Amino acid sequence: MDQLLALAVAVPLFALASALAAASATPVNKSCLNGSTGAAVSIGYGGASASAGAGAGVSLGTDAYWLACPLAEEIVRDVVERAVAADPRMAASLLRLHFHDCFVNGCDGSVLLDDKPLFIGEKTAGPNANSLRGFEVIDAIKAELENACPETVSCADVLAIAARDSVVASGGPSWQVEVGRKDSRTASLQGANTNLPAPTSGVATLVQKFRNVGLSAKDMVALSGAHTIGKARCTTFSARLAGVGASAGGGATPGDLSFLESLHQLCAVSAGSALAHLDLVTPATFDNQYYVNLLSGEGLLPSDQALASAGAAAAGAEDVAGLIAAYAFDALLFFDDFASSMLRMGRLAPGAGTASGEVRRNCRVVN
């Protein structure tokens, strides 16, 4: 697998600078930039900002903890950096926790709640069970925050800040995280089973899942770029391997046959339990290589490769294929749009009529 090469797309530095100057999206911190595709990085924790446009009953801003807990972001960043240094895959895991939280009744920390005798959380839902990880890192962050400023920083905000810091620790863009969320006292196993996109989803389903929570097709394509880091188990991409190894080639497209055969070998010897990098080229670096891989037929998950399929244009969405090509060519455009989409996702809030939240002392249980 290490010998697999993705399509290399050279992007001149002047072209990236021109795109940056013309971009209307939220600006991101680009204090360290290399002009080649897949190598553009953004370092720093200030980054993009946007006016709060939170959902019902939630007022978000960037200064909620400046007086009440001035070291909050520094505490989160330090723990995240240590965790990612020890296990680079943890960056993707923490980012995924925030995504899985926000898609079920808004960004309210419900994904962190443990099951109890009279309480069922979301951790045993199909998309989460034996899949979500990083809970111990969140516990460590919360313990330090409770030491510094008790009952002040919500677990939902910890997830949002940790997601940003995980991206930055992996070489990706930064943005100013909007904070002020409250933690829910409830969870929804059904919502987790229903709302989260499956790794086998087609483009039309992906677009609809995002629209169901108020996000656009463009947000879907930009946020899918998070799959530039992390790993996936063979069972999540087995549909990509159907027929591979048969004499006729299993119907694989010419450009990705050797890629799929290598994955088939990996999964065959592990009875489906092996993990594969979502991005084989730069697996621990947050860059735009994910989109380059899609253009060469080397997206790992069926839902990823579907974005670059011929059927994407017929899904009734925005120009998905055009966005894939644009992000593959222009790393800075992807960084801008990803930061903006993360801010929009972070504003997803519990619906009207939801019980008022709290600031949990322990992220795993209600107070």
Side-chain angles (χ1 to χ4, degrees):
M1 289 175 60
D2 291 335
Q3 296 176 345
L4 293 174
L5 298 177
L7 175 66
V9 182
V11 183
L13 182 58
F14 73 85
L16 290 177
S18 174
L20 172 61
S24 59
T26 307
V28 297
N29 184 333
K30 306 176 185 71
S31 57
C32 180
L33 172 66
N34 182 305
S36 61
T37 293
V41 296
S42 168
I43 299 175
Y45 292 85
S49 62
S51 58
V58 177
S59 178
L60 302 183
T62 58
D63 58 354
Y65 301 129
W66 283 2
L67 293 177
C69 193
L71 295 179
E73 292 207 24
E74 181 179 335
I75 289 170
V76 177
R77 180 172 70 245
D78 287 348
V79 176
V80 168
E81 287 179 344
R82 292 197 301 269
V84 173
D87 175 13
R89 182 186 168 205
M90 187 55 66
S93 299
L94 294 173
L95 180 56
R96 189 164 178 250
L97 273 178
H98 182 44
F99 177 88
H100 280 227
D101 183 40
C102 292
F103 262 62
V104 182
N105 296 334
C107 310
D108 61 358
S110 59
V111 74
L112 301 174
L113 291 169
D114 286 342
D115 285 3
K116 298 293 181 184
L118 299 177
F119 181 91
I120 298 178
E122 298 166 11
K123 292 182 178 180
T124 57
N128 297 339
N130 301 313
S131 175
L132 286 185
R133 58 196 294 271
F135 297 108
E136 295 80 5
V137 177
I138 301 301
D139 291 341
I141 293 170
K142 185 60 173 173
E144 292 198 22
L145 287 170
E146 287 299 300
N147 243 358
C149 33
E151 299 181 53
T152 302
V153 181
S154 69
C155 299
D157 280 347
V158 169
L159 286 175
I161 300 169
R164 186 273 313 275
D165 292 348
S166 296
V167 171
V168 174
S170 303
S174 183
W175 58 94
Q176 288 184 340
V177 177
E178 296 169 345
V179 293
R181 301 168 187 81
K182 296 298 183 183
D183 298 322
S184 69
R185 295 183 174 91
T186 62
S188 176
L189 181 67
Q190 180 181 358
N193 280 319
T194 303
N195 296 5
L196 292 163
T200 54
S201 299
V203 176
T205 299
L206 291 170
V207 170
Q208 190 58 53
K209 293 280 189 180
F210 275 71
R211 285 179 175 166
N212 287 347
V213 297
L215 297 174
S216 68
K218 183 177 180 180
D219 291 322
M220 182 271 291
V221 177
L223 292 174
S224 294
H227 287 174
T228 188
I229 55 175
K231 296 181 180 182
R233 203 170 299 280
C234 288
T235 52
T236 65
F237 57 85
S238 58
R240 288 274 281 143
L241 308 180
V244 174
S247 58
T253 58
D256 64 7
L257 182 56
S258 62
F259 168 72
L260 294 177
E261 286 176 340
S262 295
L263 291 175
H264 182 265
Q265 292 172 9
L266 170 74
C267 296
V269 299
S270 69
S273 63
L275 294 168
H277 291 295
L278 288 162
D279 171 8
L280 288 167
V281 183
T282 55
T285 302
F286 194 99
D287 54 22
N288 64 333
Q289 185 65 44
Y290 164 82
Y291 300 101
V292 178
N293 295 343
L294 296 188
L295 294 180
S296 60
E298 295 179 356
L300 184 66
L301 302 178
S303 56
D304 289 332
Q305 194 57 49
L307 299 180
S309 69
E318 298 172 32
D319 186 7
V320 170
L323 285 169
I324 297 293
Y327 293 157
F329 178 80
D330 192 336
L332 295 181
L333 176 63
F334 164 52
F335 279 10
D336 284 340
D337 286 355
F338 181 82
S340 296
S341 292
M342 285 295 290
L343 284 166
R344 279 190 287 275
M345 185 180 75
R347 296 178 189 135
L348 299 179
T354 303
S356 60
E358 62 183 8
V359 175
R360 288 185 217 134
R361 292 184 290 272
N362 179 339
C363 292
R364 293 176 180 262
V365 295
V366 297
N367 292 341

